[in-house]
Amino acid sequence: MTNIQRLAHYLKDSCITNETLSFSEIKRICGLDAPTDILDGKRELLREGFSVIKVNIGERTVLFSRNP
C-alpha cells in the first residue's frame, strides 16, 4: 500500500465529505510530507476518490474532498 493509499483509506474511514488535515496529521497518518508529497500525489488521490481542494501554507493545512 502506498502512502497516498494510506491517506485515502484514512479519508474513506472518516466518512466526511470534506476534511481538513494539518501537515503534522498527514505525516502521522501516512508518512507524507505536506504539501510537496500531497501535490505530487494528486492524480493518485483522484484515482482513490479524493481531491485536494486547498493547501494553506500559512495554517499548514490541506483541505480534501470526497469525489462524487
Side-chain angles (χ1 to χ4, degrees):
M1 180 180 286
T2 69
N3 289 345
I4 290 289
Q5 289 170 329
R6 282 188 196 98
L7 178 59
H9 183 74
Y10 173 86
L11 292 169
K12 286 176 188 173
D13 284 348
S14 73
C15 298
I16 297 174
T17 303
N18 295 312
E19 182 154 354
T20 300
L21 297 174
S22 69
F23 291 1
S24 60
E25 288 174 310
I26 293 167
K27 180 75 170 180
R28 180 184 52 79
I29 291 164
C30 62
L32 292 173
D33 288 319
T36 306
D37 290 343
I38 296 299
L39 294 174
D40 289 345
K42 281 176 75 171
R43 284 192 180 135
E44 188 176 350
L45 269 174
L46 277 173
R47 285 192 299 271
E48 295 291 333
F50 294 91
S51 296
V52 175
I53 301 301
K54 182 177 182 181
V55 176
N56 187 321
I57 301 297
E59 293 182 11
R60 301 183 52 79
T61 60
V62 180
L63 173 61
F64 299 94
S65 177
R66 185 183 303 265
N67 296 336

